[in-house]
Amino acid sequence: MSLRHALLGLLVDNSGSGYDLIKLFDTSLANVWPATQSQVYGELNRLDGEGLIQVVTEGARGRKEYGLTAAGARELRRWLVEKEEKPQRDESLLQVFFLSVLPEEQAVRLLLGKAETAAARHAGLVALRDTGDWGDGMLSVNGRLALEYGLRLRSMEEEWARWAAGQVGAGAPAGVSNGASNGD
Amino acid sequence: MSLRHALLGLLVDNSGSGYDLIKLFDTSLANVWPATQSQVYGELNRLDGEGLIQVVTEGARGRKEYGLTAAGARELRRWLVEKEEKPQRDESLLQVFFLSVLPEEQAVRLLLGKAETAAARHAGLVALRDTGDWGDGMLSVNGRLALEYGLRLRSMEEEWARWAAGQVGAGAPAGVSNGASNGD
DNA sequence: TTCCGCATGTAATGGGTTACATGATTAG
DNA sequence: CTAATCATGTAACCCATTACATGCGGAA
């Protein structure tokens, strides 16, 4: 139930139509919280119905520009502060559990593939960082924090995948002695 | 559509009933791919209908023990090799984008809270690693790889969160010189 | 005037969560 | 006998994805 909060968040700075918000999603939050057109329009109507946003201008072509209400701002803050740990699924990691149904060589290749995917994503984020399209306020400031998270995540993934490939390819299926561990 | 693959994967080593599989889920895959009871039974029937698994024994209380078919094993391997990049949502990161709707002090606290959550999860994984409940084949071998991923991920998260807290609090006029004392 | 971009929506389908329902077997 | 555990399922609801449907307005 976080699409609604993403929408509320985007409406903090500027008001905008569903159309605007969808574009904003695609350019700013796409990596973190993708959303489809259908979903956005539906949710906007629901938010409107609940009084968390409201139409501030009606323009051409049936355009409805929404703005945040006081209740909406309150709800956004509530969501930020409340910490609820939701279980997160990771398909890529799930695959790791079943690696051994593949011949060793294929398993190694799969892990190295993951390493390359991670490296490519890392490169993509570096490119994004260097475009300088860091326009307006909130998203630019906090977007940098999120970007840094992404950079660290992808680096970690790449290193881990290479390490794991080494483990699998080492020829010793059982009795994995610790290779590279963190400070614990 | 990966619940099915998780089930297929668990049936590679041992056959088992829905009941068994649910328990296995909770003890081995819970961190990576949680599943509910309803879901498992439904999916098993679907898999049976599609010929990817089949009933090998019928026991007491209507117990149906499933085993993998050749088609099921093939499907599992297909899924492992095929790489499809699905967008992944991260609610925690989404929150970061909207941090600035909170007063600075609260934002810093939120980030430090994330750091502690990450540290706690890291500790949980360390404990899991040291229990020695690493029973049978596949899950134990590859589970260690997944575990290592988890350890690195949580370390990374903690470090990042502390760094981010520093960034947010950097220009603070208010005294944020507090250490990591958090009531949680 | 024709096409592109703006702008909003509905319908079908799939996956996930929660809650409810039911009954058999075994251990104490 | 009773309670816990084993064991399977259904129903309602929510969120997300894909595809389809519709129409206005401006620019070439």
Side-chain angles (χ1 to χ4, degrees):
Chain A
M1 248 264 252
S2 290
L3 170 65
R4 61 190 311 121
H5 300 111
L7 291 170
L8 293 174
L10 290 178
L11 287 173
V12 168
D13 273 356
N14 326 300
S15 56
S17 66
Y19 193 86
D20 297 336
L21 291 167
I22 289 161
K23 273 192 302 180
L24 251 183
F25 254 94
D26 290 344
T27 57
S28 62
L29 301 182
N31 293 309
V32 152
W33 204 274
T36 63
Q37 179 255 39
S38 297
Q39 228 184 324
V40 169
Y41 284 116
E43 191 64 38
L44 285 174
N45 282 327
R46 236 167 285 132
L47 287 168
D48 193 5
E50 296 173 32
L52 302 180
I53 62 176
Q54 66 189 16
V55 177
V56 289
T57 319
E58 304 216 15
R61 275 160 291 194
R63 173 187 175 90
K64 286 183 286 182
E65 215 169 311
Y66 291 101
L68 206 58
T69 65
R74 229 180 299 125
E75 166 60 17
L76 179 61
R77 262 180 260 115
R78 189 201 59 74
W79 168 73
L80 279 170
V81 171
E82 164 182 330
K83 54 168 99 183
E84 42 170 305
E85 310 290 349
K86 293 207 312 175
Q88 51 185 17
R89 298 185 162 79
D90 188 330
E91 182 167 9
S92 192
L93 251 192
L94 181 61
Q95 292 185 325
V96 171
F97 273 90
F98 305 124
L99 269 187
S100 49
V101 308
L102 295 178
E104 193 174 287
E105 177 230 357
Q106 264 187 59
V108 169
R109 217 185 311 144
L110 195 147
L111 286 167
L112 292 179
K114 286 188 192 303
E116 282 186 30
T117 301
R121 291 191 184 185
H122 186 276
L125 291 177
V126 167
L128 178 62
R129 187 189 58 193
D130 296 342
T131 52
D133 286 354
W134 296 87
D136 45 349
M138 190 172 57
L139 291 177
S140 73
V141 173
N142 300 306
R144 282 175 194 280
L145 299 182
L147 181 68
E148 176 68 21
Y149 181 96
L151 289 169
R152 292 178 184 219
L153 174 65
R154 300 313 175 191
S155 292
M156 184 280 284
E157 282 182 347
E158 187 190 355
E159 282 170 38
W160 168 82
R162 296 203 189 285
W163 168 83
Q167 293 288 309
V168 169
V176 179
S177 49
N178 248 337
S181 230
N182 320 305
D184 39 66
Chain B
M1 248 262 253
S2 292
L3 170 65
R4 60 190 312 119
H5 300 112
L7 291 171
L8 293 174
L10 290 179
L11 288 173
V12 168
D13 273 356
N14 325 299
S15 56
S17 67
Y19 193 85
D20 298 336
L21 290 167
I22 289 160
K23 273 193 302 181
L24 251 182
F25 254 94
D26 289 344
T27 57
S28 61
L29 301 182
N31 293 310
V32 152
W33 203 275
T36 63
Q37 180 255 36
S38 296
Q39 229 184 323
V40 169
Y41 285 117
E43 191 64 38
L44 285 174
N45 283 327
R46 235 168 286 133
L47 287 168
D48 193 5
E50 295 173 34
L52 302 180
I53 62 176
Q54 65 190 15
V55 177
V56 288
T57 319
E58 304 217 13
R61 276 161 291 202
R63 173 187 175 90
K64 285 183 286 182
E65 216 168 310
Y66 291 101
L68 206 60
T69 65
R74 228 180 300 126
E75 167 60 18
L76 180 61
R77 262 179 259 115
R78 190 202 59 74
W79 168 73
L80 278 170
V81 171
E82 165 183 327
K83 56 168 96 184
E84 40 170 308
E85 311 289 350
K86 295 206 313 175
Q88 52 185 15
R89 297 185 162 78
D90 188 331
E91 181 166 9
S92 191
L93 252 191
L94 181 62
Q95 291 185 326
V96 170
F97 273 90
F98 306 124
L99 270 185
S100 50
V101 308
L102 295 178
E104 195 173 283
E105 178 230 356
Q106 264 186 60
V108 170
R109 217 185 311 144
L110 195 148
L111 286 167
L112 292 179
K114 286 188 193 300
E116 285 189 26
T117 301
R121 290 190 184 186
H122 186 276
L125 291 176
V126 168
L128 178 63
R129 187 189 58 192
D130 296 342
T131 51
D133 286 354
W134 295 87
D136 46 349
M138 192 172 57
L139 291 176
S140 72
V141 173
N142 299 307
R144 283 175 194 280
L145 299 182
L147 182 68
E148 175 68 21
Y149 181 97
L151 288 169
R152 292 178 184 218
L153 173 65
R154 300 312 175 191
S155 291
M156 183 280 282
E157 281 183 346
E158 187 189 354
E159 282 169 40
W160 169 83
R162 295 202 189 286
W163 168 84
Q167 294 288 308
V168 169
V176 199
S177 54
N178 213 336
S181 57
N182 196 338
D184 206 75

